[in-house]
Amino acid sequence: MTTIYTVLLYLIQPLIWLRLWLRGRKAPAYRKRWAERYGFCEGKVKPDGILLHSVSVGETLAAVPLVRALRHRYPTLPITVTTMTPTGSERAQSAFGKDVHHVYLPYDLPGAIHRFLDTTSPKLVIIMETELWPNIIKALHDRKIPLVIANARLSERSAAGYKKLGKFMRQLLQRITLIAAQNQEDGERFVSLGLKRSHLTVTGSLKFDISVTPELAARAITLRSQWAPRRPVWIATSTHEGEESIILAAHRKLLARFPNLLLILVPRHPERFADARDMTQKGNFSYILRSSGEIPSGSTQVVIGDTMGELMLLYGIADLAFVGGSLVERGGHNPLEPAAHAIPVLMGPHTFNFKDICSKLQQADGLITVTDADSLDKEIGNLLTDDDYRRYHGRHAVEVLHQNQGALQRLLQLLEPHLPPRNH
């Protein structure tokens, strides 16, 4: 089975190059650093450290508290963070700067993987969420390098797909040192696929272990006083195709009742920045781009967030937040980032990527569900009209965050046996 998979992966490489090249038309970063995708990373990493892989933006954000904690506990141990996408790469570089090394994780081809591991020779590999690459897993197992899947999740749909692989899947899971699952449900799915129960721990979700640092809070207060000292602000983030038009339609309705309302619109992917700008322009809204560095005037109705790595800051200047990927069937993005700022969180009905987190928020009145421009207009109108109602929803959102923290400490304890002794 591994041989068939590997041969197919080699055969489709020209299609992968074509896809990277085509995506590069809108996002030029896809046309760069191809050598890293084949394991050539000499001079870009330091060996004998920790290797952490987070495929894209969401996983990279969840990894931020973990990487910071590892840096604090093991200050002399080099850390390399790998991603697969340019947006994940930009997020990693803006979050960690020079504190960690960063390269793309190579494709799961034996030659590329061995070249990569020869250069990095990690003491421990941590993969965020669920990236199960057979050749990487086999190479780590053969080299006796411990592999931990952290913050692991496995949806019912994915588990059903993996089940069809039978023995191959069982063999793959038995080569993993430890799976630290987000909840019992996810953990049981891994066991049903062949993971030994002794190799499973339920730690909770790392996504709850975020916090607003004093520096970030101070920057947000300064930016709010510059942008909107005396006007209400709402933010719509991580939007996908089909959502910006709904957001702008709701904003149009809201402006009739709240003429000085400011919207911050942040598309999920950089290649959508231009589309969001064109839609805003066509809608005859007065707008500015965040990247311009301009300060919104009293007549600015929309700020388009076309920069990377500023989401937590921008949440900090808003009175309430809509989190995208949820009005269209993308499964939603992380509602805990706005919750950390104690502001009300609104999402569409499609939240399967954050099923557990969203149900916790919903049960505690920390999440409001909307379905279209009309319900968005209605709910935001209620929140802007009634300060107590708005504070109530924001307070309940942040309480859910605080009540579910602790996964980070549990995970750090599990990693300790696989790392050199700490200097206390």
Side-chain angles (χ1 to χ4, degrees), residues 22 156 163 190 246 266 278 280 283 321 352 361 363 365 386 413:
L22 292 174
E156 233 169 296
K163 218 172 196 98
F190 283 110
I246 298 170
V266 188
D278 293 347
T280 307
F352 52 82
L361 284 166
Q363 282 162 17
D365 278 350
D386 187 337
Q413 282 168 358

Side-chain angles (χ1 to χ4, degrees), residues 130 132 153-166 169 173 185-186 188-190 192-193:
T130 315
L132 301 175
R153 63 189 180 107
L154 187 62
S155 68
E156 233 169 296
R157 202 161 83 184
S158 298
Y162 282 136
K163 218 172 196 98
K164 292 171 188 164
L165 300 172
M169 198 63 208
L173 289 171
E185 231 177 5
D186 289 329
E188 292 304 325
R189 289 189 193 117
F190 283 110
S192 74
L193 291 174

Side-chain angles (χ1 to χ4, degrees), residues 3 25 40 61 74 79 88 93 109 121 166 180 183 197 212 231 259-260 322 338 365 372 374 384 390 392 402:
T3 310
R25 287 185 304 186
F40 295 98
L61 283 167
Y74 305 96
I79 298 177
Q93 287 167 323
L109 303 163
S121 63
N183 56 51
R197 198 169 281 282
V212 178
R231 57 191 295 203
N260 67 340
F322 166 81
D365 278 350
D372 53 19
D374 288 339
L384 292 176
R390 190 170 70 250
Y392 169 86
H402 292 152

Side-chain angles (χ1 to χ4, degrees), residues 165-413:
L165 300 172
K167 188 182 161 191
F168 174 70
M169 198 63 208
R170 194 160 55 249
Q171 197 179 32
L172 194 68
L173 289 171
Q174 286 174 4
R175 288 173 170 158
I176 294 169
T177 313
L178 178 74
I179 289 185
Q182 291 189 21
N183 56 51
Q184 201 63 46
E185 231 177 5
D186 289 329
E188 292 304 325
R189 289 189 193 117
F190 283 110
V191 170
S192 74
L193 291 174
L195 180 76
K196 289 178 185 162
R197 198 169 281 282
S198 58
H199 290 210
L200 171 76
T201 307
V202 176
T203 52
S205 173
L206 277 180
K207 288 194 161 86
F208 286 104
D209 282 279
I210 56 167
S211 60
V212 178
T213 62
E215 299 80 38
L216 183 69
R219 283 172 61 208
I221 289 165
T222 304
L223 200 58
R224 174 73 191 235
S225 65
Q226 289 171 346
W227 282 23
R230 283 175 293 279
R231 57 191 295 203
V233 180
W234 74 291
I235 187 168
T237 66
S238 298
T239 55
H240 287 258
E241 192 173 350
E243 289 186 311
E244 290 93 357
S245 53
I246 298 170
I247 301 296
L248 290 167
H251 190 50
R252 169 77 62 219
K253 290 170 176 248
L254 286 160
L255 284 168
R257 279 183 293 160
F258 309 95
N260 67 340
L261 180 63
L262 180 66
L263 163 66
I264 304 169
L265 177 59
V266 188
R268 176 69 175 176
H269 298 294
E271 51 264 46
R272 294 203 45 72
F273 292 161
D275 296 339
R277 185 196 60 215
D278 293 347
M279 272 184 250
T280 307
Q281 214 165 10
K282 279 186 188 133
N284 288 323
F285 291 96
S286 163
Y287 76 94
I288 63 165
L289 301 176
R290 167 63 176 149
S291 61
S292 71
E294 283 176 59
I295 289 172
S297 69
S299 61
T300 305
Q301 296 165 319
V302 181
V303 175
I304 294 168
D306 62 340
T307 53
M308 296 299 295
E310 287 202 307
L311 207 48
M312 281 298 277
L313 173 66
L314 295 176
Y315 278 132
I317 64 174
D319 297 305
L320 57 101
F322 166 81
V323 180
S326 57
L327 285 169
V328 292
E329 288 190 44
R330 287 305 183 100
H333 294 290
N334 191 353
L336 295 174
E337 291 164 5
H341 288 281
I343 57 174
V345 184
L346 299 97
M347 289 183 86
H350 307 290
T351 56
F352 52 82
N353 285 342
F354 288 84
K355 188 176 156 224
D356 196 41
I357 288 169
C358 286
S359 73
K360 280 186 168 78
L361 284 166
Q362 200 115 41
Q363 282 162 17
D365 278 350
L367 179 66
I368 298 167
T369 302
V370 291
T371 50
D372 53 19
D374 288 339
S375 58
L376 203 50
D377 166 48
K378 179 174 167 282
E379 293 295 350
I380 292 173
N382 292 342
L383 290 163
L384 292 176
T385 310
D386 187 337
D387 289 351
D388 288 340
Y389 179 63
R390 190 170 70 250
R391 278 194 286 269
Y392 169 86
H393 276 283
R395 189 174 69 248
H396 283 248
V398 78
E399 278 169 5
V400 171
L401 181 78
H402 292 152
Q403 284 158 7
N404 288 278
Q405 288 179 337
L408 177 61
Q409 289 310 314
R410 288 189 280 275
L411 181 61
L412 288 167
Q413 282 168 358

Side-chain angles (χ1 to χ4, degrees), residues 119-132:
T119 309
T120 54
S121 63
K123 291 182 187 299
L124 167 69
V125 175
I126 302 165
I127 293 180
M128 298 297 291
E129 305 213 349
T130 315
E131 290 280 298
L132 301 175

